[in-house]
Amino acid sequence: MALRTLSTFPSLPRRYTTRREPNLTVIYRNSATSIVCKSIANSEPPVSLSERDGFAAAAPTPGERFLEHQRAHEAQKVVKKELKKEKKKKKEEIVRKVVDTSISCCYGCGAPLQTSDVDSPGFVDLVTYELKKKHHQLRTIICGRCQLLSHGHMITAVGGNGGYSGGKQFVSADELREKLSHLRHEKALIVKLVDIVDFNGSFLARVRDLVGANPIILVITKIDLLPKGTDMNCIGDWVVEVTMRKKLNVWSVHLTSSKSLDGVSGVASEIQKEKKGRDVYILGAANVGKSAFINALLKTMAERDPVAAAAQKYKPIQSAVPGTTLGPIQINAFLGGEKLYDTPGVHLHHRQAAVVHSDDLPALAPQNRLRGQSFDISTLPTQSSSSTKGESLNGYTFFWGGLVRIDILKALPETCFTFYGPKALDIHVVPTKTATAFYEKELGVLLTPPSGKDQMQEWKGLQSHRLLQIEINDAKRPASDVAISGLGWISIEPIRRTRGTEPRELNEAEHEISLCVSVPKPVEVFLRPTLPIGTSGTEWYQYRELTDKEEEVRPKWYF
């Protein structure tokens, strides 16, 4: 016992004497009291009596040190193992919390079933709910909102950043993104969908933030909307080139049409080959056609897979309303037991659909094959009666509905602008000096959307302006595409091609086209390589020569 501390002992008999030590003061009291011992020397380290008398433990041998080190190492391994188990358990809890549809979800949209609010997603009549619950058939219920959507009603449910104005908003776009956050912690195969009509706006450039290091199969949808005569070899090469520029590592690229089933069988084969026990998630921006693609995929797989054939009975609802799917929908589609998930669309605030009223959403979705509307000097109205044949496009303004304004600052007399997008949006050309007055007068009348009094009151105008300087490298080929996020694109030809004639040579002052593009905030405008569509695209498109290293890392495309 260390002598520096205070201790209490029963008193010793008087016949025993204590050896006097130089560093100790001993106080004797009667037998009923205690003896208090206190060290008064601070200069020397305390030494126990057992050590002084030779009764202390011997120093540990090297073998004992080794055994002690091994025991400590094993104990550390056990602690690390327990921490790893706890961490894995937390991840599994997160996945179960987000992915689990808890059986009581609408198989059409993934919204939790409820019986209290008629106007909210997931509503089911109480009698129907109780009956299905009694017979364990809650997975076979479709909610009232999905029934209306299947009959063509436009019912939005998503608001907030990237959501839609007008109508009722039951869930925010951020909440839908949060439902996808578990993917980065899970081993899965990702099938990412991109709309060819809105390629840049629906690409999801930061998809790795959602899916982590999971492998990605890139699927391009709605290729049936491209103009007649389009060569899919050119389109496939163009898509791969743009994807490589965006530095997104994908396993393969597939060109598909959910309507005609073109290319879907190739995706089904790729999924069966690469899933390797992992669940498959269909991911993409809102309204790129995820539910339609899943229906086409199940239809194709059903020819050989009885599980996929059975899954067709309860498949996700598809409609023209962005944000139809409100939660992950689990589908038993594979013989191996892996699951197929239809996920909520990622709502992007920079698309036109996020700024127009919900009643105007159908006008933004092209239903038939695209046909370009071309404008050159021969189709434009003259600014004055004294205009000559050599007049250029400078000083004119295009209005694409009420959503886009394009002021031509510098162009060649032969420059041609071709618009590709929904037919519901008319294109009007006026002199720039009268463009502002024309827009204020005709907004909601000739220039729609927006349309209707309610939409007009909420409309904030074309607040975002972007100046574009387009360089002309070859007069025989289109210079560039100007893509409007969520709408379509404008192809710009420096000199319009005509049969039997060759474009003239350009002088030094004619190698640039300048435009000012105005759109609503926060809609984005992209400048990209021209998409090679139609028969003319096959004539001017050039395939880039690849090195051996580029051939190895470049993804293959299929159709």
Side-chain angles (χ1 to χ4, degrees), residues 4-22:
R4 183 171 292 182
T5 59
L6 294 176
S7 304
T8 305
F9 298 93
S11 59
L12 299 174
R14 292 185 180 274
R15 64 177 178 271
Y16 292 108
T17 59
T18 304
R19 184 173 52 186
R20 185 175 297 276
E21 298 288 345

Side-chain angles (χ1 to χ4, degrees), residues 514-541:
S514 299
L515 309 172
C516 180
V517 182
S518 302
V519 292
K521 282 186 177 181
V523 173
E524 289 190 7
V525 178
F526 301 94
L527 201 61
R528 72 184 190 192
T530 305
L531 184 66
I533 55 176
T535 55
S536 62
T538 308
E539 298 174 4
W540 60 257
Y541 187 74

Side-chain angles (χ1 to χ4, degrees), residues 162-400:
Y164 311 104
S165 59
K168 292 195 174 182
Q169 301 171 356
F170 301 99
V171 60
S172 70
D174 293 332
E175 289 174 349
L176 291 186
R177 292 189 193 95
E178 185 62 28
K179 292 183 179 182
L180 301 174
S181 61
H182 70 284
L183 287 178
R184 67 172 70 96
H185 305 300
E186 188 173 350
K187 291 183 179 180
L189 176 62
I190 308 299
V191 180
K192 176 188 171 184
L193 270 57
V194 178
D195 184 353
I196 190 63
V197 179
D198 185 26
F199 185 88
N200 296 80
S202 63
F203 191 81
L204 293 182
R206 300 182 62 183
V207 68
R208 287 295 179 190
D209 293 344
L210 289 174
V211 304
N214 286 313
I216 297 176
I217 297 174
L218 182 62
V219 174
I220 309 301
T221 62
K222 305 181 184 180
I223 61 166
D224 57 289
L225 296 179
L226 295 178
K228 287 184 178 181
T230 299
D231 187 352
M232 292 303 158
N233 292 306
C234 299
I235 298 297
D237 187 77
W238 183 91
V239 170
V240 172
E241 284 291 319
V242 175
T243 302
M244 294 291 287
R245 290 183 183 183
K246 292 180 179 290
K247 298 181 180 180
L248 177 64
N249 185 22
V250 299
W251 278 7
S252 59
V253 176
H254 296 261
L255 308 180
T256 66
S257 168
S258 301
K259 187 176 181 180
S260 64
L261 300 184
D262 290 335
V264 178
S265 60
V267 182
S269 299
E270 185 84 1
I271 290 175
Q272 294 285 5
K273 177 184 175 182
E274 301 295 347
K275 59 185 174 67
K276 299 176 182 177
R278 294 174 289 202
D279 292 336
V280 180
Y281 287 80
I282 309 299
L283 188 69
N287 214 33
V288 297
K290 292 185 299 300
S291 298
F293 172 77
I294 287 179
N295 293 339
L297 185 65
L298 292 176
K299 186 176 180 179
T300 303
M301 294 170 55
E303 298 175 359
R304 298 183 178 181
D305 193 337
V307 177
Q312 283 188 288
K313 188 174 181 180
Y314 303 107
K315 54 190 178 184
I317 196 74
Q318 59 185 87
S319 74
V321 178
T324 298
T325 304
L326 299 177
I329 301 176
Q330 177 181 301
I331 304 170
N332 299 319
F334 305 109
L335 278 173
E338 302 92 345
K339 308 300 180 184
L340 176 68
Y341 286 94
D342 184 10
T343 61
V346 179
H347 293 260
L348 305 172
H349 68 283
H350 60 72
R351 303 177 77 190
Q352 288 280 7
V355 298
V356 303
H357 195 275
S358 57
D359 294 340
D360 291 327
L361 288 176
L364 302 182
Q367 302 297 326
N368 301 312
R369 193 180 293 272
L370 297 177
R371 295 184 63 182
Q373 300 182 59
S374 299
F375 297 87
D376 58 12
I377 191 61
S378 64
T379 61
L380 300 183
T382 57
Q383 297 191 43
S384 65
S385 58
S386 61
S387 297
T388 63
K389 186 177 180 180
E391 182 185 6
S392 70
L393 290 170
N394 300 341
Y396 281 97
T397 295
F398 291 97
F399 284 106
W400 200 354

